[in-house]
Amino acid sequence: MSIIKLNATDSTNVYLKELALSQQLDDFTVVSTELQRKGRGQMGSEWLSDKGKNLTVSILKKLRAFHVENQFDLNCIVSLSIYDVLHELTVPNLSVKWPNDILSGNQKICGILIENVLKGKLIYMAILGIGLNVNQTYFQNVEKASSLKLLLGQNFDLDELLTKILDKLKSYFLISREELKTLYLKVLFRKDKPSTFKDLNNRNFTGIIRGVDPSGKLLVELEGGLLKPFDLKELKMLY
Ligand code: BTN
């Protein structure tokens, strides 16, 4: 396995994607950095992380015949890998908030940004970007954020955590799609519980998360029983 350690870069996802497009890299090549100047989050948001305190890494997964229709499997693989590592460290009340935030209680400890490179309808490489809050204890202007140190009261070695995550990732890439989905649904935040959401028009509505459809949309049972699929832009869960 190759690991490229950088003191600073704009975004490990961008760095790894550009490198992978310009030269042959090994499967599971990792780019990690102490500092991201323009860390990328979901839906164009920014990912902030104090220098040297957290895991900010991107991992290259080369794929063969991986249909874009199945791209949500990648979210399941990465979130379950991190979930397992944190579970083994005894992080309390873990869950995966759709599509792939890792929560302890209702506090986010890890964000995942997966960027796919396509050839037609096939994904031939995926950049698995992981931002895990490890030794940072103060989060300015970030709602509901936590870290391993805040939750478990001790510092953690970033390289050891990365090794554990890579081992889990490698094993989750070997299991069946059905098994992945079952495991993901078992740890899905607020599944089968009445929850409040905000829609595109900023209106609140209540519903119950029942699952995820084959394209990765969240299936919410609305009042009256209708099961409606939502994509990431179409709803925000209030919790
Ligand atoms: C989210 O919004 O929850 C996703 C955050 C993903 C952050 C990680 S940090 C390493 C990698 N490089 C990036 O620019 N983003 C991801």
Side-chain angles (χ1 to χ4, degrees):
M1 185 203 74
S2 326
I3 173 155
I4 300 163
K5 289 191 176 192
L6 305 169
N7 291 330
T9 187
D10 283 352
S11 153
T12 54
N13 269 28
V14 172
Y15 186 97
L16 180 56
K17 196 198 284 180
E18 284 173 1
L19 197 66
L21 289 172
S22 68
Q23 68 184 70
Q24 274 296 329
L25 296 178
D26 294 339
D27 203 15
F28 291 102
T29 292
V30 177
V31 172
S32 77
T33 191
E34 297 247 320
L35 176 72
Q36 282 192 132
R37 290 180 291 250
K38 286 187 196 158
R40 283 147 68 117
Q42 280 171 17
M43 292 204 296
S45 66
E46 203 184 354
W47 183 258
L48 298 169
S49 177
D50 283 0
K51 183 168 191 254
K53 299 235 167 120
N54 304 312
L55 204 60
T56 43
V57 294
S58 300
I59 299 160
L60 176 70
K61 181 67 192 114
K62 295 181 166 185
L63 298 161
R64 243 183 263 133
F66 195 102
H67 208 280
V68 67
E69 273 172 13
N70 299 332
Q71 63 179 301
F72 192 71
D73 290 4
L74 297 171
N75 297 69
C76 296
I77 289 170
V78 183
S79 41
L80 285 168
S81 300
I82 293 162
Y83 178 99
D84 279 7
V85 170
L86 301 186
H87 184 71
E88 284 166 17
L89 294 174
T90 72
V91 174
N93 300 318
L94 277 172
S95 64
V96 178
K97 180 173 160 284
W98 178 84
N100 50 20
D101 288 347
I102 312 294
L103 304 188
S104 168
N106 61 5
Q107 294 181 305
K108 178 161 164 174
I109 43 177
C110 181
I112 296 165
L113 182 68
I114 300 175
E115 299 187 67
N116 297 320
V117 184
L118 299 177
K119 234 184 219 151
K121 290 200 160 163
L122 296 181
I123 302 175
Y124 76 97
M125 59 168 97
I127 309 292
L128 314 174
I130 298 169
L132 173 63
N133 296 334
V134 182
N135 297 321
Q136 184 173 335
T137 51
Y138 178 65
F139 296 89
Q140 200 174 14
N141 301 329
V142 190
E143 235 191 298
K144 296 193 229 131
S146 195
S147 67
L148 295 185
K149 181 158 190 187
L150 284 172
L151 291 161
L152 299 172
Q154 64 173 94
N155 283 303
F156 288 85
D157 184 282
L158 301 181
D159 290 333
E160 278 175 26
L161 288 168
L162 175 60
T163 306
K164 288 180 204 268
I165 292 172
L166 282 165
D167 287 347
K168 291 282 178 196
L169 271 175
K170 286 175 189 165
S171 55
Y172 273 115
F173 268 105
L174 301 174
I175 75 170
S176 73
R177 305 195 58 222
E178 292 68 31
E179 212 179 330
L180 267 183
K181 184 86 172 282
T182 308
L183 292 171
Y184 180 86
L185 293 181
K186 267 197 198 151
V187 298
L188 186 58
F189 182 62
R190 295 202 64 77
K191 183 168 178 291
D192 299 324
K193 293 181 183 152
S195 304
T196 307
F197 303 88
K198 227 180 223 329
D199 69 14
L200 277 176
N201 305 313
N202 257 343
R203 271 195 292 264
N204 286 6
F205 66 97
T206 54
I208 303 177
I209 293 174
R210 293 298 188 197
V212 176
D213 80 3
S215 70
K217 290 187 179 181
L218 188 69
L219 289 170
V220 181
E221 184 183 322
L222 303 178
E223 276 169 28
L226 177 75
L227 202 56
K228 194 174 166 194
F230 290 89
D231 74 24
L232 200 51
K233 299 180 293 300
E234 290 170 333
L235 93 171
K236 181 177 159 57
M237 198 194 310
L238 305 175
Y239 64 100

